[in-house]
Amino acid sequence: MSNLNVPYSHLSHSSSRSLASSILYDIVNVSPTALHIADRRELIQALLDDLSLLTKGSKDAASSRLTRDDAALALLALKSLGKIPVGSEVIASPNNLSTLVTLANTLKDNTAASNEALRCLANCLLLIDNARMTFVQKQVGGGEAAVEWLVKASAPERVFLVSRILFLCTVSLAASSYIRSLVETKPHGHSEPIVDVVAAKLDMLLYNIQSGDAFAKEAMIDLLKMHTSDDQNKVLGDYWSERLDGLLPPLLKLFNTLPPSAPAPLLPPITHVIHSLITIPVTPSLRPIWFSGQSKTEPPSRSSKSSSPTGTPGPSTSSSPKDSKPGAFDRALSRLSAGRRSLSRSSSPQPPPVYDNLQHGYDLLDAVLSHYLPGDIDPDEASVRERCRKEADSSLDDIVSPLVLLVTKLCSSDETSKKRLRRWILPDDLDRTSPLEGRADLLGRCLRLLGCVHHPRLKDAAGEMLYAVCDSDASTLASYVGYGNVAGFLFNKGIMSAPPRTATSAAAPATTTSGVPIDPITGTAQKEHEPLDMTDEEKEREAEKLFVLFDRLERNGALPPNQNPIRKAIQEGKLG
């Protein structure tokens, strides 16, 4: 076992800086198993004590083994020692957390050292759950400090580190009081609320991503994590209030303008943008923002639109309605309208951008499903799961379901959006000469997903999207795509048999555009049945087979007696 405590303890403020650097590098490079737990704890505390002295007066700093020039390397050594929980447990004490907060502030002119202090904090908060609540308490003051760091951060790396800290502080179920304070109060000494700060940073990071700057994607991902949620924890998006409305405009801008990802069309940070949008409700105040970019006229058929699935709709020049009293999203729109106006020669005011969010969501969904389910491939093919793991290290459920939910949300919240989406997925001139579930388009892929086994969440999400498109009416859905394609989905909704056509399903076609009746089971055009070329003996044998089959279904309870067609035929005297 290595013991680095001895050489470090022999250092003094007057020691050769090359010697100090050599010892600190030895600490950085030491193997995690090369130090006893007690030695690791002692060395961590010694480093923190010496770093703390650097934040005090010159007399105290002179008693430290380190100088300010050693701070970055010493903090790197501290981070290395704290990469395992037994080390971070020492850092997690209130005094030591407070020391790191102070170091991040006092060493602000030494970017490398200040960022290393933030890394030490982020690592500790990741490994030690209790440290997250300790960090935001008044004794440490980390909560207020983190917001201040975010306000002042101008480099993607800094935004990334601060966002990681803020995310870890808000991810706990016990963090509700801190989340409320973030939303309801303005950062100390600043006139803008935290929502406006986040919106400004997202806009800045979009520019950084488009410029290819390092840490830009990582910073945006962690900043977005603050108001998304998982199955166990609730964060900013789950405590929604009107004060958060200002997040919607920048998120929609990101959704529509982030550069395409590779090798797959749906990778972070766009996936995190989608998760964030799902948490935002369609309230009366936000409705003009959600739907400001869509056409007010009846949309044309998708067949007349561009076939490129990844094209990004350009912003419209029409302005959206504004409330009489400026709110959170009005301030966000104003900021987005200004954008990077300082980079432009023109000083004339520009209208805020508006986007056709439904069309972009549809195009993106079409592109993603075409990518992972090319042609008419069965969604349960092993190659589909393998491709998801290889390209996105995830499952088709996790990759696509949130986007389907977002499109369904837009469709369910607005009548015009529902009609547009129905015309795109189920146009009047839909080719019904072949099985709908075999089509190599969005409709065919959704219908095949309804019968899959390996993607249960996406299966349900696709069914709910089609259900919403069809006015959330079982009869309308069955009329459009055939009962056979949605029988399992409707069964799970408590609908046990084919629903009859009703007044609400009158809009669903009963015939093709050429007047051919549509088969209610398959959703395809009915074909004229050619007479069977069978002898009487062959017909008798087939009838016996049917009788035995339906009798077995009735005895097993799978078929009620009153729905047995053979029994009905006998009762009605149709069979001798």
Side-chain angles (χ1 to χ4, degrees), residues 55-323:
T55 65
K56 305 183 186 303
S58 56
K59 183 176 180 181
D60 289 319
S63 62
S64 172
R65 299 180 182 90
L66 305 170
T67 67
R68 283 195 168 231
D69 291 338
D70 302 321
L73 185 54
L75 285 163
L76 178 61
L78 182 65
K79 183 185 71 176
S80 298
L81 292 171
K83 282 184 177 179
I84 58 177
V86 292
S88 281
E89 284 173 356
V90 180
I91 299 174
S93 72
N95 287 339
N96 289 337
L97 289 173
S98 182
T99 294
L100 287 172
V101 171
T102 304
L103 284 166
N105 289 327
T106 57
L107 299 175
K108 59 186 177 181
D109 294 331
N110 184 342
T111 303
S114 184
N115 284 350
E116 284 300 339
L118 296 183
R119 285 189 173 90
C120 290
L121 285 169
N123 188 63
C124 176
L125 298 179
L126 175 65
L127 295 177
I128 310 298
D129 289 351
N130 293 338
R132 300 169 190 173
M133 293 308 301
T134 305
F135 178 76
V136 299
Q137 290 173 358
K138 192 172 183 180
Q139 180 182 358
V140 175
E144 292 183 1
V147 174
E148 183 71 14
W149 295 332
L150 183 63
V151 170
K152 295 181 177 179
S154 58
E157 182 179 7
R158 186 77 169 186
V159 177
F160 165 60
L161 294 170
V162 177
S163 299
R164 174 62 58 88
I165 290 171
L166 281 168
F167 165 64
L168 291 170
C169 289
T170 56
V171 75
S172 170
L173 287 172
S176 58
S177 60
Y178 178 59
I179 294 173
R180 281 195 296 270
S181 71
L182 282 177
V183 174
E184 296 173 0
T185 61
K186 296 177 180 179
H188 181 69
H190 297 275
S191 59
E192 292 185 326
I194 186 65
V195 169
D196 289 6
V197 174
V198 172
K201 298 307 173 186
L202 289 174
D203 191 39
M204 179 195 83
L205 292 170
L206 174 61
Y207 177 80
N208 295 134
I209 289 175
Q210 292 170 337
S211 302
D213 296 342
F215 287 101
K217 284 186 178 181
E218 293 81 358
M220 181 175 287
I221 288 169
D222 274 53
L223 191 57
L224 290 169
K225 283 180 180 178
M226 275 205 299
H227 46 91
T228 56
S229 62
D230 57 34
D231 293 336
Q232 288 78 36
N233 301 315
K234 293 184 177 182
V235 286
L236 210 55
D238 297 276
Y239 296 92
W240 195 263
S241 76
E242 289 186 358
R243 292 185 176 92
L244 296 171
D245 283 0
L247 290 172
L248 182 58
L251 287 172
L252 289 178
K253 180 178 181 181
L254 296 179
F255 179 62
N256 285 276
T257 60
L258 272 171
S261 58
L266 205 59
L267 294 172
I270 187 63
T271 50
H272 290 79
V273 174
I274 293 169
H275 276 278
S276 299
L277 287 171
I278 289 172
T279 68
I280 302 179
V282 182
T283 61
S285 62
L286 291 180
R287 178 173 290 276
I289 308 300
W290 276 112
F291 302 106
S292 61
Q294 69 181 13
S295 172
K296 302 300 181 184
T297 59
E298 186 70 12
S301 171
R302 286 295 299 175
S303 60
S304 65
K305 293 182 178 289
S306 169
S307 60
S308 173
T310 56
T312 302
S316 166
T317 57
S318 63
S319 58
S320 59
K322 292 184 178 180
D323 293 337

Side-chain angles (χ1 to χ4, degrees), residues 407-415 417-418 464 468 472:
V407 172
T408 305
K409 175 181 182 174
L410 294 172
C411 166
S412 302
S413 304
D414 181 71
E415 187 67 22
S417 296
K418 179 174 64 178
E464 291 296 341
S472 299

